[in-house]
Amino acid sequence: MDRGDALTVPSSPRGPSKIKELKRQNEGMPQDSPSTGSRPETGGIRARCYSPGSGGARCITFRQGYGEMAKLEAEPIGETPQFAFVDEYGDPKLSTDEANISTYFIVTAVIVDAKDVDAVSEDAERIRAHHFQAAEMKSSLVGDHDGRRIRILSDLAKLKLHFYSLAVDKREIYEDSGLAHKKSFMKFISGILYKTLYRRFFNLTVISDEHGRKDFMDGFRRYVDERYIPDLFRQSKFDFRSSKAEPLLQVADFLTGTLGRVFDPKKASPRADEFLKMLEPQALRIEEWPPQVRPLGPDIWDKKDSPHDYSIRHYCITQARLFLERHKEATEEATQYQIEALKYLLYIFRFVDARGYVGTRKILEALARAGLPPTDVYFFRSNIVAKLRDEGIILASSSQGYKIPHGISDIRDFVEHGERIVVPMLNRIQTAREHILTMTKKEVDILDGQKYEKLREILKNADNVR
């Protein structure tokens, strides 16, 4: 019986763990192997090598002293040992019209630093014992008792972990497709998750809840190992374990079941927005497949909005989705940052706050949590935001940060923000030009030459930039 009071989760000493052997193997791998080590530095250049997926290793080169790039001396999260505990909500059957078949299939990976995994597992066990006594911590045991679910989520929010979820709307999959078969469905959908995880975290042990017969799990293990774990990174592993023996698999069960109460219309809770708000601090990202253009909730689709607002946000989301589709196999460094930044902004728009801006620091933190090497504000603005806009992605910006536009007011924020920067700068250039022309009796024009042709044209056509 649920006691109804919140549990204080103390920081516990690390004791024997059921994943101790895997952890020892994980942390025992050479740290300067060809796959993850840093190449010798030459002339102030530092190269860090890793693999973005099955395409082989690649190197990111940084110049020492480049703003905050010096922070790379601290190992990026993508190269530190991680554990991912994976569980699912729903079933793979596509006949969603049947009452007992879920509309959504959701898979969630709970991600924990290897150095913290014993302590977090012990704290999760305390939460389980407090709320479930002798039973496993299962979302299905809570069902539609939303008050109890919120109390459990409140305790889980104290754990030092993050999670990534993929929500699949099975109504969008043809019943006569190849995904109608359980094995094909599980391999395809789980493959989307594992491809993302192994692409971002290069020293990763994935532990999935047991399901099906032993021969199915053995075959699935071989499939993941051969298809998603790059040859150069064999410190990455995949295995199955019973949720009864691992509290963090039970956490994954509870989180993914809670998302079932958000997504699945057959299980939808009137308190879904509260669930999402509580999950947001630990969420790396919640993605939908197939990608959805229509955002969630009445707050986003406000009846007071003009038809132009609706069209603007629909267009902006569509362009963002098309960019992600075009570049889904990209391996270039800057493109990886652009993809992750855009996915994060879409996540915030879709599930957190469609009207609010996201600060630069928060976006940079999200990129680091996603496994990308840390970067600085200059790189973010010039190689992420600017390049996305060059590709036709409309991002609103203001002094508060960045966002996917919700309507015309956000576009005007962007224009006003730009006007406050561009017009004074043009004014200063024009003033300097006039002073130099006067001082040299028009012998020197600082905007002379083909290089400044466009700028001269802008100033010529501007009646008064002051």
Side-chain angles (χ1 to χ4, degrees), residues 81-258:
Q82 304 283 322
F83 275 82
F85 299 85
V86 179
D87 206 352
E88 303 138 6
Y89 161 88
D91 54 76
K93 296 179 181 178
L94 300 183
S95 51
T96 57
D97 290 338
E98 296 181 25
N100 61 337
I101 303 298
S102 67
T103 305
Y104 269 77
F105 181 85
I106 304 172
V107 58
T108 293
V110 167
I111 301 169
V112 185
D113 281 2
K115 64 182 175 59
D116 301 319
V117 72
D118 286 342
V120 177
S121 182
E122 291 170 10
D123 289 341
E125 170 60 20
R126 288 190 183 89
I127 294 172
R128 183 210 61 75
H130 178 74
H131 290 282
F132 293 86
Q133 290 73 59
E136 283 189 62
M137 176 164 46
K138 283 188 168 292
S139 175
S140 59
L141 295 179
V142 177
D144 60 1
H145 297 285
D146 289 343
R148 183 184 179 197
R149 184 176 296 276
I150 283 175
R151 291 193 293 273
I152 297 168
L153 287 174
S154 179
D155 284 339
L156 293 178
K158 302 169 188 174
L159 297 179
K160 191 176 180 181
L161 57 82
H162 291 90
F163 73 90
Y164 168 83
S165 293
L166 178 70
V168 179
D169 187 349
K170 296 189 295 180
R171 295 169 297 186
E172 300 295 324
I173 303 173
Y174 292 113
E175 289 191 50
D176 59 355
S177 70
L179 297 182
H181 304 287
K182 177 183 176 181
K183 289 184 179 180
S184 298
F185 181 92
M186 294 296 292
K187 286 181 177 179
F188 180 79
I189 299 303
S190 298
I192 297 175
L193 174 78
Y194 296 137
K195 182 177 181 179
T196 298
L197 293 178
Y198 285 118
R199 194 174 196 171
R200 285 285 167 258
F201 302 102
F202 319 125
N203 193 334
L204 178 69
T205 297
V206 174
I207 298 175
S208 180
D209 190 17
E210 292 178 342
H211 53 77
R213 298 183 308 180
K214 184 179 183 300
D215 59 343
F216 172 80
M217 289 189 287
D218 288 344
F220 193 87
R221 186 186 294 109
R222 287 193 300 272
Y223 173 80
V224 172
D225 185 67
E226 293 169 2
R227 184 134 185 191
Y228 297 109
I229 301 179
D231 290 339
L232 291 177
F233 293 85
R234 287 299 173 183
Q235 66 263 48
S236 293
K237 304 176 184 70
F238 177 88
D239 207 354
F240 287 99
R241 180 160 297 139
S242 169
S243 60
K244 293 180 181 178
E246 182 45 65
L248 288 172
L249 282 174
Q250 298 175 39
V251 173
D253 175 287
F254 196 82
L255 295 182
T256 202
T258 298

Side-chain angles (χ1 to χ4, degrees), residues 22 98 106 132 155 235 242 254 298 310 312 314 328-329 358 391:
L22 274 173
E98 296 181 25
I106 304 172
F132 293 86
D155 284 339
Q235 66 263 48
S242 169
F254 196 82
Y310 179 97
I312 285 171
H314 188 278
K328 62 183 179 182
E329 300 298 333
V358 188
E391 287 260 3

Side-chain angles (χ1 to χ4, degrees), residues 243-367:
S243 60
K244 293 180 181 178
E246 182 45 65
L248 288 172
L249 282 174
Q250 298 175 39
V251 173
D253 175 287
F254 196 82
L255 295 182
T256 202
T258 298
L259 290 175
R261 297 279 292 160
V262 173
F263 283 94
D264 196 333
K266 294 180 181 179
K267 301 283 187 179
S269 167
R271 303 181 74 173
D273 287 345
E274 290 181 66
F275 298 159
L276 286 172
K277 186 175 181 180
M278 296 183 75
L279 292 172
E280 192 272 332
Q282 292 172 311
L284 291 177
R285 198 161 63 242
I286 301 171
E287 289 197 46
E288 295 175 278
W289 191 90
Q292 301 290 309
V293 171
R294 180 178 60 83
L296 176 71
D299 179 61
I300 293 177
W301 299 98
D302 194 334
K303 293 180 180 179
K304 297 179 181 178
D305 288 344
S306 73
H308 294 302
D309 289 331
Y310 179 97
S311 299
I312 285 171
R313 60 177 164 266
H314 188 278
Y315 176 82
C316 293
I317 295 171
T318 300
Q319 293 304 112
R321 294 294 189 194
L322 290 173
F323 174 88
L324 295 176
E325 180 64 24
R326 286 196 305 273
H327 298 283
K328 62 183 179 182
E329 300 298 333
T331 59
E332 295 82 1
E333 170 198 349
T335 307
Q336 289 298 307
Y337 282 97
Q338 294 157 23
I339 288 169
E340 290 301 322
L342 192 55
K343 284 184 174 181
Y344 182 68
L345 289 174
L346 283 168
Y347 161 71
I348 294 295
F349 185 95
R350 177 79 165 86
F351 297 109
V352 181
D353 183 4
R355 299 178 185 276
Y357 284 88
V358 188
T360 300
R361 181 177 295 276
K362 189 171 183 180
I363 299 173
L364 291 176
E365 290 171 354
L367 295 178

